Structures are given as C-alpha cells and as structure tokens.
Amino acid sequence: MTLTETERQVLGLIDESDLVALTQALVRVPGENPPGEEAATAAALMDLARDRGLQVEAEDAAPGRPNVIVTLPGGPDPGLLLLGHTDVVPVGTGWSGDPFSGELRDGRISGRGSTDMKGGLAACLVAMDAVRRAGVQPVGPVLLAALVDEEDTGLGIRHHVAHTPMPPFAGCIVAEPSDLQTVIAARGDSYLDYRVHGRAAHSGSPADGRNAIVGAAEIVADMRDWHGSLAADAHPLVGPATVSVGTIEGGQGTSIVAAECHLTVDRRLLPGESADDVLAEARSRLAALDLGRRDLSAEVSLAMAMPGFATAEDEPLVRVADAALGDAGGPGLPLGGWTAACDGGFIAETGVPVVVLGPGSVSDQAHRADESVGVDELVVAARAYALAILRLGRLAPG
C-alpha cells in the first residue's frame, strides 16, 4: 500500500536510538513474577510516558501492583487498545552476563524481558509518541494497557476488565512477541491443582501406611495419556491442547511413608474451550483412577484459567494490522496462530477483536537464559503500531 504524506511524516518521527534507549531503560528495571515485583517497571514506564507528553494513570490490581494506562487522546469514534504486561518471569540460571544489563550488541538488546515483553511496550510508546508529535488526532483514543501478573495468574487483566472504565475499542493489538507475524488465534491456559492424601508410617513397614506419592504417580501417568489423546483434536492454527505436569511435591523424609503429595498441571486450552469443562474432565479422570482402592483420597481444583481466542481472517482489525505490518517492513508471514497464552483472550471475551503482533520470539527467546530482541524488529513493530493508529478509521465492517 502506498503511504500517505501523514504516514510518512509519522514514521519519520520514529527514532531508532530513542527506541533502543527506552527498551534498555525498561529492561534495566527488574520486575520478576513470581513474586510480583512489577511496581518499579510500572513507575519507569509512567515516567517515560509522561516525558513524551502522554496521559498516564495507574490503578492497583493488588497492593503495590499497579496496572498502567497510557492514553493518546483521539476523536469520538471507537479507538485502539494496545495491550502488554510489565512483569517478567524469574531470571533463572544459565546467563552469560547480567540478566538486567540491557546491553546492545550486534543489533540486539539483551536482558530478561527484552523480548517478553518490554521491547513491545517500548515500541507501543514510541509509536504513540510519534503520532502525538506529528500533531495527528486519531479518530478514536489509543490506550496502552500495561498490566501486572500476566506471567502468573492474571491479576492485572482480571482487575482491568472488571473495574477499569474503558472507552469502546474497534480492536486490540497485543504487543507480545510474535516474530512479527499477525497472529489471529491463541491458546488459553488453565492450572490444575491436585492433592493426594494418604497415611504416614515408618518406611521400614510401608504396608502400615498409604503412600500418597504412589497415587500421584498414577495421576502423572494419566496426564501422559490425556496429553496423547488431545493430539487428535488439533486446531488448524494453534495445534492441539496440551497437558504438562509442572511441579510435584510430597513426603516429609526418606524414612517416612508420604502422607501427602501435591501436583500442579498446565492444561492448555483451545480457542473457545471452557476451563470449567476441563476441570470436569480432570475430575472424571481422577475418579476413574479409583485411588480409593489404595486407601488414598485425592481432589483436583482449578487454580487459574486464561481464555484463548480466535479472530476471523476477514475482521477489519486483521486486515488493518497485517497491512500496517507489511507497510512497516515486516517479514510478510501469513496469518498465524500462537501456542502460548496471553491476556488478549480476556479482551476477546468482551467482544473486542484481538490480534497478537509484536517484536521478538516467544519460542526462541522468551523465558530463556540470554533473552534478547533485535533492534530491527523493534523498529518494524513501532512503525506497524503507528500505521495501525493512523488507520483506525478503516476498522469498520465491510
């Protein structure tokens, strides 16, 4: 598509060095979750947004855990929501350098959260600022919602949807790392919490006790079977639902028959799949194991649920976002799906169409040691967001 003069002007105001500096500033502020240390990142983001003349508000989703809303005012029509999060996963091990260095080397910015997703936040902020400095008023307001706790239980998005008054939106772009692909479907997620109860005894006479870990082992084996059965019902864009045992903890000591065992299980959801239905199936499978035959008892509960989403290919948001990405210098990838989960599913449940489009790779960089994001990707993302903002008026049916 041929760019208009206004679009060229706005894109000319996107400065690579500014984008790099902003990304580095955010990466250098730790915000690991758990335990939920987003406050410093939120404060830095608010300062950076105010420095650029944008409107800023904050509201605690939980004590000391503020959601941040950055606004570029617009006209009376429905606007655009840019969605992201301020938390990062724990650093972990295996880093070759400082995980919060924000070092620029060979065209990449390193550090925890550089890809997931402080680079995306920086690109959103720079795009909004470029439109503002060009003196262009979008047809509707543009909001960047940078929320807490996306990496854990979704406190931020739940509070945002339930308690924050928002203007009507024509669409939502989630700035998560998508390899600069326009993603129109994403899996959701649910956490299942299993607790197995037995009876302690001296391990010299194990028959006197009832070993909860033995019962947990049967549950683990069933999770493998459940995972395998899901492969037959794959979604065309996001693949099948999955089951993964995340943690297992039980027993008090080697010489004691384990009286208790606790498992957590990640059960990914297909778009449109209900977490309540998953819980019902988990309970049915648990009952079928008949752990009572071992004089054990067990229960399973739903610890967290995050919905997936699927947006139609002919949705105006999809057309506008994908064209903006192409005109911004994107790689020209086909419309795709995302096997990860994100806060966008909660927005889709409100009736707002959603896509994921952002710099970095969720599969190659996110949640890994030596995480990094390419500067060239940041620039393309910022340009794409700016063009999407300018083309808000095209987000109408037809």
Side-chain angles (χ1 to χ4, degrees):
M1 182 182 299
T2 302
L3 298 178
T4 68
E5 185 58 38
T6 297
E7 290 173 343
R8 291 193 193 93
Q9 178 188 3
V10 170
L11 295 187
L13 292 172
I14 293 176
D15 180 74
E16 179 180 304
S17 61
D18 180 46
L19 184 50
V20 168
L22 202 158
T23 302
Q24 290 176 313
L26 292 174
V27 170
R28 287 168 180 160
V29 182
E32 292 175 278
N33 183 35
E37 300 173 338
E38 306 97 338
T41 303
L45 181 65
M46 288 189 287
D47 287 344
L48 291 165
R50 290 191 188 101
D51 290 345
R52 286 160 173 76
L54 297 166
Q55 298 177 7
V56 181
E57 297 177 74
E59 185 173 274
D60 279 357
R65 304 185 72 180
N67 285 340
V68 176
I69 309 297
V70 180
T71 302
L72 174 66
D77 292 341
L80 179 67
L81 175 63
L82 300 171
L83 185 63
H85 59 88
T86 51
D87 59 329
V88 301
V89 295
V91 167
T93 61
W95 290 78
S96 60
D98 179 0
F100 297 109
S101 69
E103 179 184 10
L104 175 62
R105 178 185 296 178
D106 298 327
R108 300 190 68 83
I109 300 171
S110 299
R112 173 58 82 223
S114 52
T115 276
D116 188 13
M117 59 161 293
K118 292 179 176 180
L121 292 176
C124 290
L125 207 58
V126 165
M128 294 168 72
D129 185 40
V131 174
R132 183 196 64 81
R133 287 189 289 137
V136 179
Q137 183 188 60
V139 299
V142 178
L143 274 65
L144 167 60
L147 311 180
V148 301
D149 199 42
E150 190 272 349
E151 297 288 7
D152 196 10
T153 62
L155 285 172
I157 186 65
R158 295 173 200 280
H159 185 278
H160 179 73
V161 170
H163 300 291
T164 306
M166 302 295 283
F169 292 115
C172 169
I173 298 177
V174 185
E176 292 266 20
S178 72
D179 292 293
L180 293 175
Q181 180 181 36
T182 304
V183 167
I184 61 172
R187 291 194 301 199
D189 198 5
S190 62
Y191 291 169
L192 297 171
D193 191 284
Y194 288 82
R195 296 187 182 272
V196 186
H197 312 286
R199 185 172 72 241
H202 194 289
S203 60
S205 301
D208 292 343
R210 298 294 180 265
N211 198 318
I213 292 176
V214 172
E218 292 197 32
I219 294 173
V220 171
D222 185 61
M223 293 300 100
R224 179 191 59 205
D225 295 341
W226 193 6
H227 174 81
S229 70
L230 293 170
D233 188 25
H235 185 277
L237 289 177
V238 305
T242 59
V243 180
S244 175
V245 178
T247 66
I248 182 167
E249 180 180 8
Q252 296 172 276
T254 307
S255 64
I256 307 171
V257 173
E260 301 289 336
C261 194
H262 176 216
L263 303 90
T264 61
V265 173
D266 182 301
R267 168 60 161 82
R268 297 284 154 157
L269 306 173
L270 296 182
E273 189 176 19
S274 163
D276 289 337
D277 289 344
V278 166
L279 177 60
E281 183 173 1
R283 286 174 171 163
S284 176
R285 297 183 74 95
L286 181 60
L289 293 177
D290 188 21
L291 296 183
R293 77 188 190 283
R294 298 185 182 274
D295 290 331
L296 299 170
S297 62
E299 67 272 351
V300 57
S301 59
L302 186 67
M304 187 279 292
M306 176 181 287
F309 73 88
T311 303
E313 290 188 24
D314 60 355
E315 172 66 45
L317 173 70
V318 174
R319 299 198 305 266
V320 169
D322 200 49
L325 178 59
D327 292 341
L333 298 171
L335 300 176
W338 214 46
T339 58
C342 68
D343 285 344
F346 290 96
I347 300 298
E349 285 193 331
T350 71
V352 176
V354 174
V355 299
V356 181
L357 194 172
S361 172
V362 72
S363 57
D364 294 339
Q365 292 294 331
H367 300 195
R368 296 173 180 239
D370 290 337
E371 179 182 351
S372 66
V373 66
V375 174
D376 56 344
E377 298 173 74
L378 295 174
V379 172
V380 170
R383 290 167 59 92
Y385 301 150
L387 289 175
I389 292 169
L390 295 172
R391 296 171 182 178
L392 260 177
R394 303 178 190 175
L395 294 182

PDB file of all heavy atoms in Angstrom, residues 5 48 55 72-73 154 176 229 286 372:
ATOM      1  N   GLU A   5       1.168  11.076   2.943  1.00  0.00           N
ATOM      2  CA  GLU A   5       2.167  12.017   3.441  1.00  0.00           C
ATOM      3  C   GLU A   5       2.185  12.052   4.964  1.00  0.00           C
ATOM      4  O   GLU A   5       3.248  12.128   5.590  1.00  0.00           O
ATOM      5  CB  GLU A   5       1.872  13.417   2.890  1.00  0.00           C
ATOM      6  CG  GLU A   5       2.927  14.461   3.264  1.00  0.00           C
ATOM      7  CD  GLU A   5       4.319  14.066   2.788  1.00  0.00           C
ATOM      8  OE1 GLU A   5       4.452  13.502   1.686  1.00  0.00           O
ATOM      9  OE2 GLU A   5       5.281  14.318   3.563  1.00  0.00           O
ATOM     10  N   LEU A  48       8.441   7.500  31.652  1.00  0.00           N
ATOM     11  CA  LEU A  48       8.800   7.582  30.233  1.00  0.00           C
ATOM     12  C   LEU A  48       7.626   8.088  29.396  1.00  0.00           C
ATOM     13  O   LEU A  48       7.824   8.837  28.428  1.00  0.00           O
ATOM     14  CB  LEU A  48       9.256   6.211  29.737  1.00  0.00           C
ATOM     15  CG  LEU A  48      10.593   5.716  30.311  1.00  0.00           C
ATOM     16  CD1 LEU A  48      10.770   4.222  30.053  1.00  0.00           C
ATOM     17  CD2 LEU A  48      11.759   6.494  29.715  1.00  0.00           C
ATOM     18  N   GLN A  55      -0.821  10.967  28.379  1.00  0.00           N
ATOM     19  CA  GLN A  55      -1.587  10.900  29.617  1.00  0.00           C
ATOM     20  C   GLN A  55      -1.335   9.549  30.300  1.00  0.00           C
ATOM     21  O   GLN A  55      -1.274   8.512  29.639  1.00  0.00           O
ATOM     22  CB  GLN A  55      -3.078  11.061  29.327  1.00  0.00           C
ATOM     23  CG  GLN A  55      -3.444  12.405  28.712  1.00  0.00           C
ATOM     24  CD  GLN A  55      -4.924  12.489  28.379  1.00  0.00           C
ATOM     25  OE1 GLN A  55      -5.725  11.618  28.714  1.00  0.00           O
ATOM     26  NE2 GLN A  55      -5.311  13.563  27.690  1.00  0.00           N
ATOM     27  N   LEU A  72      -3.296   8.189  24.392  1.00  0.00           N
ATOM     28  CA  LEU A  72      -3.175   9.194  23.341  1.00  0.00           C
ATOM     29  C   LEU A  72      -4.601   9.586  22.966  1.00  0.00           C
ATOM     30  O   LEU A  72      -5.330   8.787  22.379  1.00  0.00           O
ATOM     31  CB  LEU A  72      -2.441   8.617  22.126  1.00  0.00           C
ATOM     32  CG  LEU A  72      -2.365   9.501  20.878  1.00  0.00           C
ATOM     33  CD1 LEU A  72      -1.522  10.747  21.136  1.00  0.00           C
ATOM     34  CD2 LEU A  72      -1.823   8.717  19.687  1.00  0.00           C
ATOM     35  N   PRO A  73      -5.035  10.790  23.319  1.00  0.00           N
ATOM     36  CA  PRO A  73      -6.431  11.165  23.062  1.00  0.00           C
ATOM     37  C   PRO A  73      -6.760  11.130  21.571  1.00  0.00           C
ATOM     38  O   PRO A  73      -5.898  11.334  20.704  1.00  0.00           O
ATOM     39  CB  PRO A  73      -6.520  12.586  23.622  1.00  0.00           C
ATOM     40  CG  PRO A  73      -5.398  12.698  24.595  1.00  0.00           C
ATOM     41  CD  PRO A  73      -4.297  11.857  24.019  1.00  0.00           C
ATOM     42  N   GLY A 154      -2.807 -13.736  36.238  1.00  0.00           N
ATOM     43  CA  GLY A 154      -3.656 -12.779  35.534  1.00  0.00           C
ATOM     44  C   GLY A 154      -4.402 -11.805  36.411  1.00  0.00           C
ATOM     45  O   GLY A 154      -5.489 -11.336  36.039  1.00  0.00           O
ATOM     46  N   GLU A 176       2.735  -8.734  22.351  1.00  0.00           N
ATOM     47  CA  GLU A 176       3.576  -9.862  22.754  1.00  0.00           C
ATOM     48  C   GLU A 176       4.456 -10.307  21.576  1.00  0.00           C
ATOM     49  O   GLU A 176       4.126 -10.059  20.410  1.00  0.00           O
ATOM     50  CB  GLU A 176       2.688 -11.028  23.199  1.00  0.00           C
ATOM     51  CG  GLU A 176       1.909 -10.788  24.474  1.00  0.00           C
ATOM     52  CD  GLU A 176       2.632 -11.314  25.703  1.00  0.00           C
ATOM     53  OE1 GLU A 176       3.869 -11.519  25.636  1.00  0.00           O
ATOM     54  OE2 GLU A 176       1.960 -11.512  26.732  1.00  0.00           O
ATOM     55  N   SER A 229      -4.139 -38.157  24.014  1.00  0.00           N
ATOM     56  CA  SER A 229      -5.470 -38.204  23.421  1.00  0.00           C
ATOM     57  C   SER A 229      -5.881 -36.878  22.804  1.00  0.00           C
ATOM     58  O   SER A 229      -6.702 -36.837  21.885  1.00  0.00           O
ATOM     59  CB  SER A 229      -6.495 -38.627  24.479  1.00  0.00           C
ATOM     60  OG  SER A 229      -6.680 -37.610  25.453  1.00  0.00           O
ATOM     61  N   LEU A 286      -9.765 -38.427  37.312  1.00  0.00           N
ATOM     62  CA  LEU A 286      -9.269 -38.751  38.647  1.00  0.00           C
ATOM     63  C   LEU A 286     -10.143 -39.825  39.301  1.00  0.00           C
ATOM     64  O   LEU A 286      -9.627 -40.780  39.914  1.00  0.00           O
ATOM     65  CB  LEU A 286      -9.230 -37.488  39.504  1.00  0.00           C
ATOM     66  CG  LEU A 286      -8.718 -37.641  40.937  1.00  0.00           C
ATOM     67  CD1 LEU A 286      -7.287 -38.170  40.956  1.00  0.00           C
ATOM     68  CD2 LEU A 286      -8.797 -36.299  41.667  1.00  0.00           C
ATOM     69  N   SER A 372      16.974 -11.945  24.314  1.00  0.00           N
ATOM     70  CA  SER A 372      17.314 -10.705  23.616  1.00  0.00           C
ATOM     71  C   SER A 372      16.261 -10.420  22.561  1.00  0.00           C
ATOM     72  O   SER A 372      15.460 -11.280  22.204  1.00  0.00           O
ATOM     73  CB  SER A 372      18.696 -10.798  22.962  1.00  0.00           C
ATOM     74  OG  SER A 372      18.702 -11.758  21.911  1.00  0.00           O
TER      75      SER A 372
END
